[in-house]
Amino acid sequence: MLRRAILGFAMCLAATVAVAQEPIRIGEINSYSGMAAFTLPYRNGWTLATEEVNKAGGVLGRKLEVVARDDAARPEDAVRLAAELVTNEKVALLAGTFFSHIGLAVSDYARQHKVLFVASEPLTDALTWEKGHRYAFRLRPSTYMQAAMLAEEAAKLPARRWATVAPNYEYGQSAVAAFKKLLQEKRPDVSFVAEQWPAQGKIDAGATVQAIALARPDAIFNVTFGADLPRFVREGTTRGLFRDRPVVSLLTGEPEYLDPMKDETPEGWIVTGYPWEAIETPEHRAFRDAYRARFNDYPRQGSVVGYVMIKSIAAGIARAGSTDTEKMVDAMGGLKLATPFGPIEFRAIDHQATLGAYVGRTAVRDGKGAMVDWRYADGARYLPDDAAVRAMRPQQ
Amino acid sequence: MDSALATLRLMAAEPSFALAQALTGLASASSLFLVAAGLSIVFGVTRVVNFAHGSFFMVGAYLAVTAIGWLGGGAAGFWGGVVVAVLGVGLLGVLVEVAILRRLYAAPELFQLLATFGVVLVIQDGALFLWGPEDLLGPRAPGLRGAVEIFGQRIPTYDLFLIAVGPVVLVLLWLAFRRTRWGVLVRAATADREMTAALGVDERRLFTGVFALGALLAGLGGALQVPRETANLHMDLNVIAEAFVVVVVGGMGSVVGAYLAALVIGVVHAFGILLFPKLTLVLVFLIMAVVLVIRPAGLLGERGAASRQGAPEAPLRPASARLRWTAAALFAALLALPAVAGGYVLVLAVDVAILALFAASLHLLLGPGGMISFGHAAYFGIGAYGAGLAWKWLAAPMVLGLAVAPLAAGIAGAAFGWLCARASGVYLAMLTLAYAQIAWSVAAQWLAVTGGDNGVLGLWPAPWAASPAAYYYLSLVLCGGGILALRLLVHAPFGQFLRAGRDAPRRAEALGVAVGAQQWLAFIVAGAFAGLAGGLFAYAKGSVFPTYLAIPRSVDGLVMVLLGGVQSLSGPVVGALAYVGLADELARGVALWRLVLGAAIIVLAVAFRRGLAGAVGDAAARP
Amino acid sequence: MTLLAVDGIARSFGATVAVDGVSFGVAAGERVAMIGPNGAGKTTCFNLINGQIAPDRGRVAIDGRDTTGRSPRALQRLGVGRTFQISQVFASLTVRENVQAALVAGQGRALSPWPPLRRREAAAADRLLDQVGLAGEAERGAAALAYGDAKRLELAMVLGQGPRLLLMDEPTAGMGIDERHALMELVSGVVRGRGVGLLFTEHDMDVVFGHADRIVVLHRGRVIAAGTPAAVRADPAVREVYLGAEAPPCA
């Protein structure tokens, strides 16, 4: 009798220990095959962070495990995979996504099914504002924030006549809209004299450059990126579009976009980005060294995002003291943590992290593109006031 | 519109600008022509529409960047690198022809399109594996880096070089086909394959040579793009859509036509950007649609031979007792599924049901109709948007949304079907593709109404259907009902006359059957059922996005139908089940899933043309 | 009134004049054969009458109603039934379904969504198959039929629509000799029994002279002779065209 009782107790204990040691699973969805250049450094980033967290004993005494899925750049697949991760893999929360529309689709799934979703890369403002809700948080500085950083710089230029060129989809259109609004607030004398909307990935660069030149703008705001950017830069340089004409350009300083242009990186563009070689804060140096040691490669913007995403989730779960969704959501609101870029906070008001970006000028150094004269623009400074945010965000 | 007028005023004030813009258009025309010429030649001789042509272009660019890197800078290095790239792509072309296409010349167009699409997938992952994910910037052409001033406008010298390359290649091709023995034989084979073969000409080597030439030209096009853009993994599909448009507008098989079409599109595009900067994507497809409605065979094309249908189908038989019992048992098992399976299985089951209906609707056109619809996702997507927009703008409840979906898609089917009425075979495939691309552009770029690529969000089922089991039952009833209705329709005079009109159109007409009207109605019916599937999909995913009507979804549908077997009515259902299972497994476990999927598609098109249902049927029929 | 009246129809292809002012008529219950050497314009003439191509000038009338340039579908509604030189049947339907399809199409119900085709007019279809001697083949796929059988199936389909005018392009081509006469006997029976007009082209002169009431002879796009078989047989112009100028007049 006694023996059976002892045995039973021992088994109970064993079971409790097993539960305690079962890893906390994070369901991660991203466009691994669709956007490999961006998502591979990002995957490295979260891999590094997960290893660091686990080496330090994990969270709540449990290890972290990332269950990653490829959405093939299709939002409907992402939604299906979200369901698979939640119901089959029993993940504690969802994270990731690169494209804005996929971020929004997964976010909407999270709202409907009451699952925490930490969006890492999608930029669309709607994620935390018009379509924001209790269960979604976003790490990276949004389109609005990055446009605001550049509008601040643009306002210092003497230019009055501006032209814009942006890919013809939501990201391009909202970036131009935000930039226009913010610049005209600071500079009522500014007018926009030409708009070009090439299809994403299919810019007809020569014709686009000519069309901008026809309007004779004083300065240009560029949102094109990826394969479109080098084409635009080459045609613009050859045709003299950038001669004596400042260019303000979104994301162009990120290594993902800067590196392919090598020695043809345009000089003196005002950009947002990530000068990974030059940031010598202790936090960043530690991150960079660890990343290089682990992957024998230098970090990209995506690496930082992936890394901070896992660190944020770990901090959030630790603060909640549980993997209960409601508790984690409560803990994420107002969560503060240190990152390679410095301290950030997930704002309680709109669930946007205050992670910033580096604003500087492009230059060619040793045959490669680089950012110079940069400064860190703290995301907290480039968000609208609370009343405006409340007006945009649906009331719970 | 105001901005268009303002631009016109600016241009009038600066006439030299129009000249510069025209030259820019001519340079893009040359680039387009280089890609399109090879595609057109290959089609003209072998009658194969090569989807992988864009992949050759991409490999040409990558090879050139790599080869120029090896050979070092300077003029010799650059042009040597271009030559290496061109020859390398030519070799790749030979490999693809000998390994795959050679086995497909007699097959219906659909299998050729699919097999070459499989090659696209394989090459995509191959390029990712070989060159890595980052865009590669090659050097500019030595001596052609600068610009010359023409009436005060700076024109890149490389543009002038390209403007010259187009006509030079055109003349060289003309000479090769008119003045060499090889060219004479190729043209003879184009005109009459059997006779040429009977005269002892080795047709296989001829075709391999033609395919290699086509690949060479694509490689040249890609290599010559190096000074203008990075080599990147999206080049293939970006360029292939435009190359198709050029070839179809010019008239398939006509090289001169391809040059004319490239000129028209290049120049219209250059000026279109100025006047309607937001319409650039639609513009190209609009040109194509307009040209094909007026001249169904393109500018210089000849009315193509009748499309190949493959072996005749067996007559339809009423469902055997065994099939009825199997279906009943299956239905009972499906009804019991929620009792035994968890949430995710139900989510997958809903996907299977919806895609099965989508595939069945496509099958109505492909199988009984004998019409290649390469843009079937348009109806699926329009159905989804019908439901989504009814909800977004009119706050329509789910039941109404599910009624709007087939209605909207049926209307789209009526419109597109009417516009496609005069086309057949490959032209029909290209026209349906064009309309689907136009619909996609509208969905992706008309931000104010559709929400652009951010889509319509928050479209979740009504409370009574919100639980996974309830929505599963709803999908099961509607999709099962739809598939059953399609089956009955095929057995009814409507479907039998569709098949009859496909088998012997002149006989059907002489018996008083309006074959065209029959086919038009089939477009409407297929569209409506695809739309119903789209509406259900929208509520299942809670959202609608432009990807619902993008090319990959159309290809999904085709793969499902072919996987199941185009000659079998149960094929679409089997195909959807197999496809969703395969895709789900691949997305979860395999790194190079495109390679696996592409290889599977190739094998399917080359070796298992009767599909799974066909193979099972054969096995069952064996004594 | 003549059932079919052809009046001065002509058609050129580029510089080649294929048919150059042909006129003739077919009365109800009459069998007319159109013959001529290769390249005489028979096929073009036939296609001008059946609506496949439109004439440059001239007119075609059925029952006094102008049908020039009407589509095959419109002609079917006026009671024209036709068979093709190379038989056209619906390969992926059964033999019976082919006839059922013709019957249903004749009723104008080709778009009907219910019930299945195989349950429509089955008895009538079997009667027609019996008539053309295909009763045993009803369940087979039409693709599997022998050439001559396919021609007979086509005839059954056309007869099922109860035409008033039959246009048959080489109805017995590819058949054995016995088969040919049997088929033409069958057609002749229908023509006499229902008062149908028949116009056919044919290469086999036995068939022509054995089964035509009147013969129209074409040469280089023109009618060079027309009349009863006996009259045509004796016509010097016909003899010259077929046998050459040097042939003795009474061979």
Side-chain angles (χ1 to χ4, degrees), chain B residues 313-315 317-318 488-489 491-494 496-497 499-500 502-504 506-514 518 521, chain C residues 52 73 76 82 84 88-94 97 101 105 110-113 115-118 139 141 154 157-158 161:
Chain B
E313 267 174 35
R317 301 291 177 192
L488 293 177
L489 265 183
H491 282 268
F494 169 72
Q496 292 281 33
F497 273 105
R499 303 171 76 228
R502 172 201 65 192
D503 289 349
R506 284 167 65 203
R507 173 75 275 163
E509 288 276 338
L511 288 177
V513 178
Q518 204 93 19
L521 207 62
Chain C
Q52 208 76 43
R73 199 145 40 85
Q76 184 272 343
R82 67 171 295 204
F84 293 81
Q88 303 254 322
V89 294
F90 305 132
S92 59
L93 272 57
T94 64
E97 283 168 351
L111 295 174
S112 157
L117 179 66
R118 83 176 70 82
E139 290 293 328
E154 213 186 3
M157 292 163 79
V158 172
Q161 293 198 324

Side-chain angles (χ1 to χ4, degrees), chain C residues 99-110:
Chain C
V99 183
Q100 288 172 303
L103 292 169
V104 171
Q107 300 160 353
R109 308 189 65 99

